[in-house]
Amino acid sequence: MPNFCAAPNCTRKSTQSDLAFFRFPRDPARCQKWVENCRRADLEDKTPNHLNKHYRLCAKHFETSMIFLRDNAIPTIFDLSSHLNNPHSRHRKRIKELSEDEIRTLKRKIIEEICEQEQEMNSTAQNPSAEARSQQDGNVLPLTLEEKENKEYLKSLFEILILMGKQNIPLDGHEADEVPEGLFAPDNFQALLECRINSGEEVLRKRFETTAVKTLFCFKGQQRQMLEICESCIREETLREVRDSHFFSIITDDVVGIAGEEHLPVLVRFVDEAHNLREEFVGFLPYEADAEILAVKFHTTITEKWGLNMEYCRGQAYIVSSGFSSKMKVVAWRLLEKYPQVVYTLRSSCALNAWLAKSVPVIGVSVALGTIEEVCSFFHRSPQLLLELDNVISVLFQNSEERGKELKEICHSQWTGRHDAFEVLVDLLQALVLCLDGINSDTKCVIFYESLWEESPGTNLGVFFAASSLTAVLHSPNEVMENIEVYHEFWFEEATNLATKLDIQMKLPGKFRRAQQGNLESQLTSESYYKDTLSVPTVEHIVQELIDKFSEQYLKALKCLSLVPSVMGQLKFNTSEEHHADMYRRDLPNPDMLSAELHCWRIKWKHRGKDIELPSTIYEALHLPDTKFFPNVYALLKVLCILPVMKVENERYENGRKRLKAYLRNTLTDQRSSNLALLNINFDIKHDLDLMVDTYIKLYTNKPELPTNNSETIENA
């Protein structure tokens, strides 16, 4: 609906003019002046709120200097006589005729107001406020009233953006094709802004009244600038704690889509001043297809943009699917070349076999893993779906009730993250397919590959002994590769039996068959095809990944876990941590005393009281009150604790990854924002609005101003 100008003898409307239109002010005194200058007798009995909502004046009735940035703007330019040339015309806008006494009174009021303004300005110049005097004493120019109001205005905008981020409200509102032609539907930011104005927020009300109705309150470019500052300030709160703790590790999660582009989620691990191991989300990095460019940008962002010193980084871990694993390996090697102390490790939240499967360069494997996770997520959306799955399991496992009961319990957990997820899948696959068939007539087919290895237990004790037995683990895939014919025959038979259960015919892929139609000599069977395209590449990849992952440096770091008292106890206190701790010698406060200190540490736990239990984790050891008397041991435990392979013992401090997953699960891809995501995931981090406002003023403008004629405009409904 167009806006009509309320001035007499003015026929302009918003749909036929590029002029700005202004609402009548809500302030009673100023609103009265507007009405008096309009000389509209029919407006005199209307309230300021009613006038503000329903009446506008176009920019032609204001002095040019009054239009922008003036909260005391008064319309003074009106045509009050042209209607006299046509006395028979009918006027919707009745003009009030003034007597000579009223004209003299009006002139006197204008003169008095001008004199009062001049006196106020002179008084302010001669007697500055206490705040202004203190700023002058500190050689800081005092803020003018206008500058203070502008800062309060910007603060209100930042408050709205932070609210949108924390509550996961997307910036955009309705899609353009959803809105009928001619109707304006504001985006979510504009809608929240107007809601606060209508709720009576004084700072925004003043700005809104002096801004044209068709002008966006905060145009898109300004929104992006402010969001970048919000993101930077929130991230800095976490990074400040990371710098204070000195040592940290870098972790990335799988590549995600944000607004049509691929991004890498980045998290940091560190031990805070309360000795708690924390894993916090710090932002997204744009993903690059070229591995070398990705490595450079990864390093540049962390060091230059985020200000972290990689000399203090002690670990790195990446969880990505097969299409990205080779590129992230390049990133890992480039960091190791620059910083040899950044150990390339596994991540505690991902089982070893799941990590190996994710990185297999066979597209069918990554598709299968993605399908498994989607199916698990699907059944957890509703208790009714899980109940239906339980019923199907009960029918299929009538002859093995104990295993059926165990599978039901597993299904109610996030079982895809278990180290035995593939074995569970083999047992569950028939139940999953039958249950999905009952929900949807489309048949679901899952390709799977059962891993040979389980992840070591998440405890420090389990990790230590797993590292000690790694030689045998590395021997297993080599033995499999040497006897691949035998192993593949067993795998193929197991897969064929499972396919038969599900009424799935074992055959070559259609794309491959079409490619071989003209080749009369091709007598390739399904068994040999899957050996060459699945079994051999997978085992070869696993062998190489295990060699690359479990480097000598990585194993040395894991051997240092013998510092944990429970590990010492298992080894009868016959340990040699000093040899393995050489790699961290530079991180110790007093390395020359390390040998003597380790001896005292062993004696302390060997001759402990009978009622004292041995701490079983690094977390428990760090929280012991007398650990401070062993500064070198404390430093070693702190560095070991942040390695990504170590489990975060207290779930309260593993919020980063969980909240990241929740954000990605609950937010549509086209509604995601890297800026708002950081605010949403780190919703409990304190923020300094004054700092955000000052940063914005410093970076983008000398005087925070409202959009002018060059700003984006809207057509109000």
Side-chain angles (χ1 to χ4, degrees):
M1 180 178 176
N3 292 300
F4 293 90
C5 181
N9 296 320
C10 183
T11 58
R12 297 180 185 88
K13 59 181 179 179
S14 58
T15 55
Q16 298 175 350
S17 173
D18 293 330
L19 286 174
F21 279 67
F22 301 90
R23 299 172 186 265
F24 273 64
R26 281 200 181 94
D27 179 67
R30 287 186 54 225
C31 186
Q32 181 62 29
K33 292 178 184 177
W34 282 40
V35 173
E36 289 176 356
N37 288 5
C38 280
R39 300 266 295 275
R40 288 278 303 273
D42 56 318
L43 302 184
E44 290 182 348
D45 59 345
K46 300 188 184 326
T47 65
N49 281 338
H50 181 85
L51 292 169
N52 176 268
K53 188 174 181 180
H54 298 288
Y55 290 87
R56 315 284 187 268
L57 287 178
C58 70
K60 281 292 185 181
H61 306 291
F62 295 83
E63 298 286 347
T64 305
S65 60
M66 284 277 189
I67 293 180
F68 300 106
L69 302 178
R70 296 291 298 275
D71 58 5
N72 60 346
I74 301 294
T76 56
I77 305 172
F78 293 97
D79 175 10
L80 303 175
S81 60
S82 63
H83 67 287
L84 299 176
N85 296 327
N86 186 8
H88 300 290
S89 63
R90 298 177 61 187
H91 294 281
R92 181 174 57 86
K93 308 168 188 175
R94 293 182 285 116
I95 301 174
K96 181 181 179 180
E97 301 295 338
L98 299 180
S99 65
E100 291 185 3
D101 289 340
E102 288 175 327
I103 293 173
R104 281 195 297 269
T105 303
L106 182 60
K107 287 181 178 179
R108 187 169 62 252
K109 284 176 63 177
I110 294 173
I111 293 171
E112 288 174 355
E113 287 173 0
I114 294 173
C115 292
E116 287 177 3
Q117 290 176 2
E118 290 179 352
Q119 289 175 1
E120 186 178 344
M121 291 174 63
N122 292 334
S123 175
T124 303
Q126 293 173 5
N127 301 299
S129 64
E131 180 184 355
R133 285 197 299 273
S134 64
Q135 289 177 325
Q136 288 173 346
D137 293 340
N139 294 322
V140 179
L141 291 175
L143 293 177
T144 64
L145 178 61
E146 183 181 358
E147 288 172 333
K148 288 180 182 178
E149 290 179 348
N150 284 332
K151 289 189 72 171
E152 290 300 315
Y153 161 67
L154 283 174
K155 191 181 291 188
S156 295
L157 297 186
F158 274 111
E159 284 178 341
I160 294 173
L161 288 174
I162 291 170
L163 173 68
M164 295 181 72
K166 290 187 175 184
Q167 300 302 122
N168 199 16
I169 302 172
L171 288 173
D172 296 327
H174 297 282
E175 296 289 341
D177 55 359
E178 297 177 357
V179 182
E181 186 177 353
L183 179 67
F184 167 67
D187 61 22
N188 291 334
F189 179 82
Q190 183 85 3
L192 282 173
L193 198 57
E194 293 189 3
C195 180
R196 291 185 67 161
I197 291 168
N198 293 332
S199 298
E201 185 165 330
E202 188 67 17
V203 173
L204 292 178
R205 184 184 65 79
K206 286 184 178 181
R207 288 289 184 178
F208 190 71
E209 288 176 353
T210 57
T211 304
V213 173
K214 294 198 303 177
T215 303
L216 279 177
F217 229 59
C218 182
F219 56 93
K220 296 295 184 183
Q222 190 181 10
Q223 284 182 24
R224 285 193 296 271
Q225 293 167 354
M226 298 178 79
L227 276 172
E228 288 171 2
I229 290 172
C230 287
E231 178 188 14
S232 178
C233 290
I234 295 294
R235 180 191 294 117
E236 185 58 28
E237 291 296 327
T238 298
L239 295 181
R240 188 180 295 114
E241 291 188 81
V242 175
R243 296 187 198 101
D244 290 343
S245 70
H246 293 298
F247 302 113
F248 64 93
S249 291
I250 296 290
I251 299 171
T252 69
D253 218 290
D254 211 348
V255 177
V256 299
I258 297 178
E261 296 181 354
E262 293 174 330
H263 287 72
L264 272 174
V266 181
L267 301 99
V268 292
R269 271 192 176 206
F270 64 100
V271 177
D272 63 19
E273 59 183 8
H275 313 303
N276 294 312
L277 173 61
R278 287 167 51 188
E279 187 174 291
E280 302 288 353
F281 173 75
V282 290
F284 291 101
L285 293 179
Y287 182 77
E288 295 287 342
D290 186 288
E292 295 296 340
I293 295 176
L294 177 62
V296 171
K297 288 192 173 182
F298 189 87
H299 177 261
T300 302
T301 301
I302 291 172
T303 56
E304 296 181 12
K305 184 177 179 181
W306 295 352
L308 291 178
N309 186 348
M310 288 297 293
E311 294 292 342
Y312 292 112
C313 186
R314 292 294 176 269
Q316 55 175 324
Y318 311 105
I319 300 178
V320 289
S321 54
S322 60
F324 308 101
S325 61
S326 60
K327 296 181 177 62
M328 292 310 299
K329 188 185 286 188
V330 172
V331 174
W333 294 137
R334 294 297 173 265
L335 284 180
L336 278 170
E337 289 172 2
K338 287 178 179 287
Y339 312 100
Q341 77 283 1
V342 185
V343 182
Y344 182 30
T345 78
L346 295 170
R347 183 176 175 183
S348 62
S349 60
C350 185
L352 172 59
N353 55 353
W355 177 82
L356 288 169
K358 276 179 174 287
S359 62
V360 170
V362 178
I363 192 65
V365 175
S366 61
V367 170
L369 291 173
T371 303
I372 294 168
E373 291 179 355
E374 287 179 11
V375 168
C376 179
S377 176
F378 172 74
F379 279 100
H380 277 83
R381 291 177 188 172
S382 165
Q384 188 63 36
L385 290 173
L386 285 173
L387 180 61
E388 185 69 24
L389 183 59
D390 287 347
N391 294 335
V392 175
I393 292 173
S394 297
V395 172
L396 292 176
F397 288 85
Q398 290 179 357
N399 298 327
S400 180
E401 293 184 2
E402 186 175 341
R403 180 56 176 165
K405 183 180 179 181
E406 184 182 354
L407 288 174
K408 289 178 186 179
E409 292 176 357
I410 291 173
C411 287
H412 286 260
S413 66
Q414 295 296 330
W415 58 271
T416 56
R418 294 167 57 105
H419 69 271
D420 60 349
F422 301 110
E423 295 177 6
V424 170
L425 176 64
V426 172
D427 289 342
L428 275 180
L429 190 56
Q430 187 177 9
L432 291 171
V433 172
L434 289 174
C435 195
L436 288 171
D437 276 343
I439 300 168
N440 190 326
S441 59
D442 295 333
T443 302
K444 313 288 182 182
C445 178
V446 179
I447 303 170
F448 72 95
Y449 181 81
E450 186 176 359
S451 177
L452 299 173
W453 305 279
E454 296 181 357
E455 184 201 26
S456 56
T459 63
N460 297 156
L461 187 66
V463 173
F464 175 82
F465 285 110
S468 302
S469 61
L470 191 64
T471 303
V473 174
L474 290 173
H475 175 73
S476 295
N478 285 309
E479 191 269 335
V480 171
M481 194 66 233
E482 291 171 2
N483 300 279
I484 191 65
E485 297 285 349
V486 176
Y487 279 96
H488 174 71
E489 183 179 351
F490 169 74
W491 295 334
F492 187 78
E493 182 181 355
E494 187 176 16
T496 302
N497 292 336
L498 186 57
T500 302
K501 278 186 182 180
L502 302 174
D503 294 327
I504 297 174
Q505 183 182 357
M506 183 67 73
K507 58 184 179 181
L508 295 173
K511 185 177 180 180
F512 178 79
R513 292 201 311 273
R514 288 191 295 272
Q516 298 295 319
Q517 276 182 350
N519 187 0
L520 299 177
E521 299 178 1
S522 177
Q523 298 296 325
L524 195 64
T525 63
S526 296
E527 184 173 351
S528 58
Y529 170 81
Y530 285 112
K531 186 192 80 172
D532 295 338
T533 60
L534 182 59
S535 295
V536 172
T538 299
V539 176
E540 286 179 344
H541 171 78
I542 288 171
V543 171
Q544 189 58 51
E545 283 297 307
L546 288 172
I547 293 171
D548 292 343
K549 179 65 69 174
F550 293 100
S551 63
E552 182 181 352
Q553 186 186 33
Y554 184 17
L555 294 178
K556 265 191 171 185
L558 295 182
K559 291 293 182 65
C560 290
L561 287 172
S562 59
L563 279 170
V564 178
S566 63
V567 179
M568 283 183 173
Q570 288 284 332
L571 299 174
K572 307 301 181 184
F573 299 96
N574 184 24
T575 57
S576 55
E577 298 87 4
E578 188 175 2
H579 172 68
H580 304 303
D582 282 344
M583 63 183 294
Y584 294 121
R585 201 167 186 83
R586 289 192 308 162
D587 302 334
L588 304 180
N590 194 354
D592 294 336
M593 295 296 295
L594 177 62
S595 181
E597 195 175 305
L598 288 174
H599 176 72
C600 294
W601 181 253
R602 281 192 291 269
I603 295 299
K604 166 184 168 59
W605 295 110
K606 185 176 182 180
H607 300 290
R608 71 193 185 280
K610 292 183 179 180
D611 58 337
I612 298 177
E613 292 187 7
L614 291 173
S616 60
T617 65
I618 297 177
Y619 178 83
E620 292 177 9
L622 283 174
H623 282 78
L624 293 172
D626 51 354
T627 303
K628 62 184 178 182
F629 298 115
F630 300 88
N632 288 312
V633 171
Y634 173 78
L636 281 171
L637 290 174
K638 187 176 176 182
V639 172
L640 291 172
C641 190
I642 62 173
L643 293 178
V645 71
M646 301 302 172
K647 182 181 178 181
V648 180
E649 298 294 336
N650 192 331
E651 293 186 357
R652 286 175 53 200
Y653 301 109
E654 201 180 11
N655 290 329
R657 183 176 64 88
K658 293 180 179 178
R659 292 178 183 177
L660 170 65
K661 296 297 184 186
Y663 173 82
L664 297 174
R665 184 171 59 251
N666 298 331
T667 312
L668 297 175
T669 303
D670 57 352
Q671 291 184 348
R672 293 174 186 167
S673 161
S674 58
N675 311 116
L676 292 177
L678 186 76
L679 301 181
N680 178 260
I681 295 168
N682 296 308
F683 64 85
D684 53 346
I685 291 182
K686 64 180 181 180
H687 57 273
D688 188 336
L689 285 173
D690 290 320
L691 175 62
M692 292 179 183
V693 171
D694 292 340
T695 304
Y696 178 82
I697 294 172
K698 181 179 179 181
L699 289 178
Y700 297 111
T701 179
N702 292 325
K703 178 184 277 190
E705 298 180 347
L706 285 172
T708 59
N709 283 336
N710 296 324
S711 303
E712 300 176 24
T713 58
I714 60 176
E715 190 172 286
N716 248 22

